[in-house]
Amino acid sequence: MKLPSLFRRTPFRLTLLFLALFVTTASAVLAYVYLASASEARARAEAGVKSEVEALTAVYRTRGLDALNQALVDRTLRGGSYLYLLMDKDRKTITGNISTSPLDPGEAVQGGRWESFRLTDTDDEGRVRRRQAIGVEMPLSGGEQLFVGEDIGDIEAYLARLTQALWGAMIMVLVLGVGGGLWVSRGVERAMGGLNRVVGAVQEGDLKARVPDRHSGDELDELGQGLNGMLDRLEASMASIRHAGDAIAHDLRSPLTRMRAKMEAALIDAEAGRTSGVDALGVALDETDALLKTFNTVLAIARLQAGGAPDPRLFDAADLAVDMAELYEPAGEDKGLEFSAEIEKGLMIEGNQPFLAQALANVIDNAIKYTPEGGAVMFRARRRSSGEIEFSVTDNGPGVPDEDRDRVLQRFVRLDNSRTEPGSGLGLSLVTAVAEAHGGRVQLDEGPGVYDGRGPGLRVALVLPPANAAMDGPASGSADA
C-alpha cells in the first residue's frame, strides 16, 4: 500500500526527523532534571537522618540510656518530619513518636538497616493518606534498637508537581518541535525548490537560469552559489563552442573553396589535355595541410584544457630558451629584424617540454611575423623576484590595442591588421592553454612604445611556476599545432 503523498514528501520527512531529534534531546534533558532532583531530594533526606542518628548515638555513648530517652522526648515534642522510636532488647517501645518500628525484625546489621516504607495517617478532612518515608534502625551497645526516619511525603509531593511540570514542558517541546520542524523543512523545501527549478530549466536548454541568493549564508546558499558558478562556466563554454564553430566555418570556408576550385581547374585542364594537374594538386595539398594543422591545434587545446600538461618532467627551461633563440634568430635576420636574446641559467620547471616549445614558437613567430622590416624582437627567459619563471617576447611592431588584449587570447580571434597574414587565430589560444595546463598564465603588455615611427609594440609573457610549485596533470596528447 502506498503512503499518502504528504508522507512521501521530503519536507514532511524532515519535519519528522527534526521532531524526533528535538523530542529525544528534550526528553533526555527533562529526564535528567527529574532524576537529578529526585536523587538530590533523597540524598538530603538520608543525610538528615544520618545526622540525627549520629547525634543520638553520641548522646547514648556519652550519657547513657536515660539521656537518650530524654533527647527523644524533646525531639518528639518539638515536632517536625523526623520519626523516632527507642526499643528495648525485646523490641518493646520505650519512647518515640511512632508506636512500632516500620521495619520487620531482623538480624542486627552493623551501621543499621535502611528501608523505604509507607506511613498511613489522616489529613485535616479525615482522609486516609499514605506517605513515603525512609528510615534506619541502629543496634545500640546495650541491646536496645534505635529507629530514626523521616517523612518525605512533602518531597514526594514536590516530585509529583515537578513531574506534572515536566509533562507540561514535554507538551511544549512537542509543539515547538513540530513548529520548528515545519519551519526548517519549509525553508529547505523553498531552497531545494529553487535548485530544482534551475536544474529543470537547464535541462530544457535555458543556460541563463540561476539560483536566487537567499543571503542566509548556509550550506544551501553555498550550493546555490556553486551551481551558479558552474552554470556561468557552462554558459561561457557553450558560447565559446558556438563561437569556435562559427569561426571554424568562417575560416575554413575560404581554403575549402580554394581547394575545390583548384581541384576543379585541375580536372578541367586534365580533361582538356593542357596539364597533368600536378601543380593544382600540389596547391590543394598545401591547403589540406593548413586545414589539418588547424584541426590539430584545436585538438591540442582541447586536450590541454581537459587533462592538463601531459607527461610532466623536470628540466632546465634555460636550455629550451637557448634552442628556441637559435632556431628563430635566422628567421628574424631573413626578414631584416634585429633579433636578440637574454637568458638566465638554472630555470628549473616541471612540465611538458614539447608543448612549452610549441607555445614559445607561437609567440616568437607572431612577433617576427607582425614586426615590420627594420624592427627589433627581444626574447628573454628569467626568474622573477617571486620565484616564477618568465619567458617574454617584446617587439616594436604595431602592437595590440588594450581593449583587444584579452580577446586575442581566445580561439579564432584575428584582428583586422592580421587578416592579410596566414594563420587561423589559434596561436595565442594554444599559448594560453599551455600556460594554464602548467599552472601559469599569459600576460600581454605594451612594448617599448612609439619610437622613430615604430611601435608601440607588444610584450607577451608566459609566466610559469617553478619546479617545486608546478601543477601535475598527467595525460596524453601531442603538441602539434
Side-chain angles (χ1 to χ4, degrees):
M1 183 180 70
K2 292 185 178 181
L3 292 172
S5 60
L6 173 65
F7 292 91
R8 298 197 304 268
R9 293 178 61 186
T10 297
F12 185 80
R13 293 197 296 269
L14 287 174
T15 301
L16 291 180
L17 177 60
F18 179 85
L19 179 60
L21 292 175
F22 192 66
V23 169
T24 300
T25 303
S27 299
V29 171
L30 296 177
Y32 171 78
V33 170
Y34 174 81
L35 293 176
S37 299
S39 177
E40 178 66 16
R42 184 177 179 89
R44 288 188 178 184
E46 290 183 357
V49 172
K50 287 180 180 179
S51 178
E52 283 292 297
V53 169
E54 291 174 358
L56 294 172
T57 54
V59 170
Y60 178 80
R61 287 195 306 271
T62 59
R63 296 161 55 189
L65 181 61
D66 291 338
L68 173 60
N69 185 35
Q70 184 60 45
L72 291 177
V73 171
D74 293 340
R75 281 169 166 75
T76 301
L77 294 176
R78 189 168 57 203
S81 60
Y82 287 106
L83 306 173
Y84 303 102
L85 178 62
L86 178 60
M87 298 173 287
D88 60 15
K89 297 178 182 180
D90 298 325
R91 297 186 65 80
K92 293 181 180 180
T93 299
I94 299 175
T95 188
N97 56 4
I98 56 176
S99 58
T100 59
S101 173
L103 306 183
D104 294 333
E107 183 180 355
V109 178
Q110 185 68 27
R113 292 189 297 132
W114 282 91
E115 292 287 347
S116 296
F117 56 92
R118 291 280 181 176
L119 290 175
T120 303
D121 63 357
T122 57
D123 59 15
D124 296 337
E125 299 178 359
R127 291 176 299 186
V128 177
R129 298 184 305 174
R130 292 180 60 81
R131 297 164 61 84
Q132 184 72 23
I134 60 172
V136 60
E137 188 173 303
M138 299 287 295
L140 300 178
S141 59
E144 298 86 356
Q145 296 288 330
L146 173 64
F147 173 83
V148 179
E150 184 176 2
D151 180 357
I152 59 173
D154 292 339
I155 296 177
E156 188 178 38
Y158 161 76
L159 293 176
R161 293 192 299 270
L162 178 61
T163 302
Q164 293 176 352
L166 293 178
W167 277 114
M170 181 59 68
I171 294 174
M172 292 181 63
V173 165
L174 290 173
V175 173
L176 292 175
V178 171
L182 288 174
W183 180 75
V184 170
S185 63
R186 290 302 180 188
V188 173
E189 181 184 27
R190 286 192 295 269
M192 295 301 296
L195 292 174
N196 288 330
R197 284 191 295 272
V198 170
V199 172
V202 172
Q203 289 176 339
E204 295 295 327
D206 181 12
L207 295 181
K208 295 188 178 299
R210 296 293 184 272
V211 180
D213 191 352
R214 299 182 300 121
H215 303 288
S216 63
D218 58 10
E219 290 79 2
L220 290 175
D221 248 6
E222 292 179 2
L223 176 61
Q225 292 168 4
L227 180 60
N228 287 342
M230 181 187 67
L231 291 175
D232 289 339
R233 296 192 62 179
L234 178 61
E235 185 180 14
S237 298
M238 295 301 295
S240 176
I241 291 174
R242 286 194 295 267
H243 172 73
D246 295 342
I248 289 175
H250 180 271
D251 281 17
L252 297 188
R253 180 172 56 189
S254 296
L256 284 173
T257 301
R258 288 196 302 269
M259 185 190 306
R260 187 182 186 283
K262 293 291 184 180
M263 295 179 69
E264 186 176 9
L267 180 61
I268 293 174
D269 290 343
E271 289 177 350
R274 292 189 294 270
T275 179
S276 63
V278 174
D279 294 338
L281 287 175
V283 173
L285 286 174
D286 292 339
E287 296 289 343
T288 302
D289 290 340
L291 291 175
L292 289 175
K293 185 177 181 181
T294 298
F295 279 115
N296 286 336
T297 303
V298 172
L299 180 61
I301 293 174
R303 286 176 175 174
L304 283 169
Q305 292 177 338
D311 191 22
R313 296 182 180 178
L314 184 66
F315 66 95
D316 190 348
D319 296 336
L320 174 62
V322 170
D323 293 340
M324 300 305 298
E326 292 176 352
L327 177 64
Y328 278 92
E329 185 176 4
E333 293 176 351
D334 290 343
K335 192 176 177 181
L337 302 178
E338 180 185 348
F339 187 93
S340 57
E342 294 180 0
I343 301 172
E344 294 182 7
K345 296 297 183 181
L347 305 177
M348 300 303 296
I349 62 174
E350 186 176 0
N352 182 278
Q353 188 167 349
F355 267 117
L356 289 172
Q358 182 62 56
L360 293 176
N362 287 359
V363 176
I364 299 174
D365 184 70
N366 278 350
I368 294 176
K369 182 190 300 182
Y370 295 110
T371 301
E373 183 179 352
V377 175
M378 168 65 75
F379 174 49
R380 292 186 177 91
R382 67 186 183 94
R383 184 184 300 275
R384 287 185 168 187
S385 59
S386 62
E388 295 175 307
I389 308 301
E390 177 190 274
F391 301 94
S392 66
V393 178
T394 306
D395 62 64
N396 59 356
V400 175
D402 183 65
E403 62 272 13
D404 291 328
R405 288 175 188 167
D406 290 336
R407 196 164 63 89
V408 295
L409 299 178
Q410 301 173 7
R411 297 185 190 180
F412 300 105
V413 173
R414 305 188 69 195
L415 302 182
D416 293 337
N417 59 1
S418 65
R419 290 291 178 181
T420 58
E421 297 289 341
S424 60
L426 289 171
L428 289 179
S429 178
L430 177 62
V431 175
T432 302
V434 171
E436 292 177 349
H438 288 80
R441 61 192 183 280
V442 177
Q443 295 179 346
L444 270 63
D445 302 295
E446 188 174 286
V450 178
Y451 175 75
D452 194 20
R454 300 181 182 277
L458 181 68
R459 180 179 183 273
V460 180
L462 174 60
V463 184
L464 302 174
N468 59 350
M471 295 178 61
D472 295 330
S476 61
S478 171
D480 296 338

